[in-house]
Amino acid sequence: MLDFIKKKIALAWAKKHIAKTKDFKTNAVRHQEELLLSLVKTAEKTLFGREHQFENIKNIEDFRTNVPIADYEDLKPYIEKIKKGQSKILWPDLPEYFAKTSGTTSGAKYIPISKEAMPYQIGAAQSALFHYIEKKNNADFVGGKMIFLQGSPELEEINGIKNGRLSGIVAHHIPNYLQKNRLPSWETNCIDDWETKIDKIVEETEKENMTLISGIPPWLIMYFEKLIDRHGKRITEIFPNLQLIITGGVNYEPYRDKMNELLGKPVDIVQTFPASEGFFAFQDDYTKEGLLLLTNHGIFYEFVALEEYGKPNAKRLTLNDIELNKDYALILTTNSGLWAYSIGDVVRFIDKNPYRILVSGRTKHFTSAFGEHVIAFEVEEALKATVEKFSAQITEFHLAPQVNPTEGLPYHEWFFEFEKEPENPEAFKSELDLQLRKRNTYYDDLISGNILQPLVITKLKKNAFQDYAKSEGKLGGQNKIPRLANDRKIGDFLSEFKS
């Protein structure tokens, strides 16, 4: 009876929530400008606001004139002041949290999360679930157990400001009505070693009625494989009531075939786009491609065409200016005090009514050793088209340039960890090269002009990518291995694991 009541309440909440979202979906452009001016007004008396003459900003053009695009290194001096306990630096109040991320040449990044921003992080995740419930007219999963593969919820403090991984911070804000259904236990979530943690999660969940599982694809796969090794059954046999998988962090498509095999039968997938800097988008219709851009969640968005990104005076665009099927670097201004901040993600719009995006890559993750500037979206689409023609399954891959081969012309080297190798490797390789040439004219010109030879495939032993992640201290959590590189750092490591 209790589960029945939970489902009825969830269905009612979902319908009410969806009705409230209609305004932001249809009036996104107007809401975005209003939001920017509100953020500027709020931060007018901060150190950053005074230095950038916020009192003179009356419109978007004024903002662009006064506030240049920044990355973490540009904002780091301000963040260091905040870490010392100084307020009114980027935002009027001290942050509620720092989301700690690995990253730059100067070490870890500390991304401020204000008390105003935190509810949007939680609210976006709830909204993704409500959209799913409304679309399916079904909330069966609320009666079962739910698991969130995430970082440790144990937080440290810097002058009274709590800090830790975003997923660990979010663990402190799970609504009470979900707490009784949530796994794993707090003690297990606090385990730092990822392999030990996964083993413990398997023990805690393998006999439960799991209905919702959330995490990034590589670590979902690791969890699922351990369950299958123990039981000799597919995941939907182990968890027959599993209804929904929520994933984010990376493009799901390259993992879809592998996930389908592990699952054993179809399970609904909802993709999301969260980050320490904000929760940007989620799949509002799980039957369609693309993620709904959240334009009313405390974030003002700007976009720079990828071909202009990093150039002096690159044109900054708003939603009103974007074109469909074009790649843009994502620039954020947030209610945590990030101003014209380049997050490093690249997005592509596939719809304007409402605004829906695909995450097409990273500004720093590309291969352009020969001027081709191949990006993740092109690589993933080329691979998807190739796999559809061949009986092959791929666990993980990485693309790196080989500029100085021992003989012959330079080439792109693709490192593959195959779950199932193609029956005709040479045909697979030729098709993949052709598919990439179709998607990147510069690469096609280099092949046609005999500047490059066609791509080379290097097969790897099982768990090669996990071994790389371990070597970098990035196994588990929200850590992701770049799919593309412009150097051989990852490629040379993977070369040691040839099969």
Side-chain angles (χ1 to χ4, degrees):
M1 175 60 83
L2 182 59
D3 287 347
F4 176 78
I5 293 171
K6 279 184 178 180
K7 293 173 191 176
K8 285 294 185 184
I9 292 172
L11 285 165
W13 282 357
K15 291 184 184 300
K16 186 176 181 180
H17 176 80
I18 299 304
K20 288 182 178 179
T21 65
K22 289 181 180 177
D23 184 50
F24 96 79
K25 292 176 182 177
T26 55
N27 296 296
V29 172
R30 174 171 60 82
H31 287 170
Q32 279 280 283
E33 182 164 11
E34 291 172 355
L35 172 62
L36 174 65
L37 296 180
S38 173
L39 295 174
V40 167
K41 184 66 177 176
T42 300
E44 195 173 280
K45 304 299 183 183
T46 63
L47 174 62
F48 190 92
R50 295 196 308 272
E51 289 181 350
H52 294 83
Q53 292 82 48
F54 275 17
E55 74 276 8
N56 296 328
I57 295 176
K58 307 301 179 187
N59 52 48
I60 293 173
E61 284 306 316
D62 291 344
F63 178 75
R64 290 173 180 159
T65 299
N66 287 23
V67 183
I69 292 175
D71 60 17
Y72 186 80
E73 296 305 308
D74 296 318
L75 293 184
K76 187 177 178 181
Y78 298 97
I79 290 173
E80 290 300 314
K81 291 179 186 295
I82 298 170
K83 286 169 66 178
K84 292 175 182 176
Q86 298 180 34
S87 61
K88 296 185 179 180
I89 303 299
L90 291 170
W91 196 245
D93 300 321
L94 286 173
E96 187 172 8
Y97 300 99
F98 280 124
K100 187 178 179 181
T101 70
S102 57
T104 66
T105 52
S106 59
K109 296 192 291 186
Y110 292 84
I111 306 298
I113 302 177
S114 69
K115 66 178 185 294
E116 294 89 348
M118 199 64 222
Y120 285 120
Q121 284 276 6
I122 306 304
Q126 291 174 325
S127 187
L129 288 177
F130 283 145
H131 276 78
Y132 173 81
I133 290 170
E134 196 271 342
K135 189 70 180 177
K136 289 276 289 189
N137 193 33
N138 180 12
D140 285 350
F141 67 87
V142 302
K145 297 291 186 180
M146 307 176 194
I147 184 173
F148 302 89
L149 296 178
Q150 58 191 192
S152 172
E154 289 188 312
L155 304 179
E156 300 174 344
E157 282 198 9
I158 301 175
N159 284 315
I161 304 171
K162 294 178 181 179
N163 73 92
R165 298 287 182 184
L166 175 66
S167 59
I169 292 170
V170 169
H172 292 263
H173 293 266
I174 301 295
N176 288 333
Y177 63 86
L178 290 180
Q179 288 289 5
K180 289 183 180 179
N181 296 59
R182 179 171 169 265
L183 289 170
S185 65
W186 185 269
E187 293 74 20
T188 294
N189 248 347
C190 291
I191 297 172
D192 283 326
D193 181 75
W194 190 251
E195 290 181 292
T196 304
K197 183 174 185 171
I198 286 287
D199 287 338
K200 190 65 177 174
I201 290 173
V202 167
E203 290 177 18
E204 290 188 4
T205 59
E206 61 186 344
K207 295 181 181 179
E208 297 288 349
N209 177 31
M210 303 305 304
T211 55
L212 182 153
I213 299 175
S214 175
I216 69 171
W219 312 120
L220 288 173
I221 288 171
M222 186 176 176
Y223 168 57
F224 288 163
E225 286 181 333
K226 285 181 177 288
L227 281 165
I228 291 170
D229 286 345
R230 283 170 71 99
H231 293 272
K233 299 177 181 178
R234 299 301 178 197
I235 296 303
T236 51
E237 295 176 287
I238 300 169
F239 302 136
N241 296 320
L242 180 61
Q243 179 180 342
L244 181 60
I245 290 174
I246 299 178
T247 185
V250 296
N251 183 4
Y252 183 75
E253 289 307 318
Y255 300 96
R256 187 177 292 277
D257 287 345
K258 174 68 172 177
M259 286 284 287
N260 287 344
E261 183 198 359
L262 296 174
L263 289 167
K265 68 178 184 180
V267 175
D268 291 334
I269 309 291
V270 172
Q271 299 180 59
T272 64
F273 184 16
S276 300
E277 294 82 357
F279 201 127
F280 311 127
F282 60 75
Q283 195 172 9
D284 62 321
D285 183 346
Y286 73 99
T287 65
K288 294 181 180 178
E289 192 176 38
L291 310 180
L292 175 70
L293 187 67
L294 300 176
T295 55
N296 66 335
H297 276 229
I299 302 168
F300 173 74
Y301 300 97
E302 294 179 274
F303 311 91
V304 175
L306 190 56
E307 65 268 20
E308 291 188 32
Y309 181 75
K311 295 179 180 178
N313 302 315
K315 190 174 182 180
R316 292 158 65 176
L317 308 174
T318 60
L319 287 176
N320 207 36
D321 310 311
I322 59 94
E323 300 175 28
L324 296 182
N325 302 310
K326 186 171 182 176
D327 295 301
Y328 295 99
L330 183 60
I331 312 298
L332 311 172
T333 291
T334 77
N335 59 358
S336 288
L338 298 177
W339 302 99
Y341 182 80
S342 176
I343 189 175
D345 284 300
V346 179
V347 299
R348 174 178 295 195
F349 284 87
I350 61 170
D351 200 351
K352 294 185 180 183
N353 185 29
Y355 287 94
R356 286 196 179 92
I357 61 170
L358 298 173
V359 183
S360 54
R362 297 277 295 167
T363 56
K364 294 181 179 179
H365 294 172
F366 58 86
T367 301
S368 193
F370 314 100
E372 65 276 37
H373 207 91
V374 172
I375 64 171
F377 186 80
E378 295 165 337
V379 163
E380 290 169 351
E381 288 294 297
L383 183 56
K384 179 182 176 183
T386 303
V387 168
E388 286 175 355
K389 293 188 176 185
F390 291 84
S391 179
Q393 288 184 2
I394 294 158
T395 301
E396 192 55 275
F397 73 93
H398 176 76
L399 168 59
Q402 178 51 270
V403 179
N404 298 304
T406 53
E407 59 180 44
L409 296 172
Y411 53 86
H412 283 181
E413 186 170 9
W414 292 63
F415 296 88
F416 281 114
E417 189 178 320
F418 284 105
E419 179 69 21
K420 181 182 179 183
E421 294 183 24
E423 293 178 0
N424 188 333
E426 282 301 315
F428 181 91
K429 183 179 78 169
S430 297
E431 182 66 24
L432 180 57
D433 202 67
L434 175 64
Q435 292 293 341
L436 187 56
R437 290 176 70 176
K438 286 181 178 179
R439 288 163 174 78
N440 187 296
T441 57
Y442 301 109
Y443 179 69
D444 183 49
D445 289 343
L446 290 167
I447 298 291
S448 300
N450 290 319
I451 305 300
L452 296 181
Q453 62 172 298
L455 65 85
V456 170
I457 288 177
T458 298
K459 294 185 295 183
L460 303 176
K461 297 176 182 177
K462 186 175 176 60
N463 297 327
F465 284 89
Q466 286 186 28
D467 289 335
Y468 172 76
K470 267 193 232 178
S471 75
E472 293 289 303
K474 293 184 177 182
L475 184 65
Q478 298 299 304
N479 293 309
K480 305 172 284 284
I481 296 173
R483 287 277 169 74
L484 295 93
N486 208 33
D487 56 41
R488 299 271 318 166
K489 180 184 175 185
I490 297 175
D492 286 345
F493 182 95
L494 294 174
S495 294
E496 301 298 316
F497 294 86
K498 292 179 183 178
S499 65

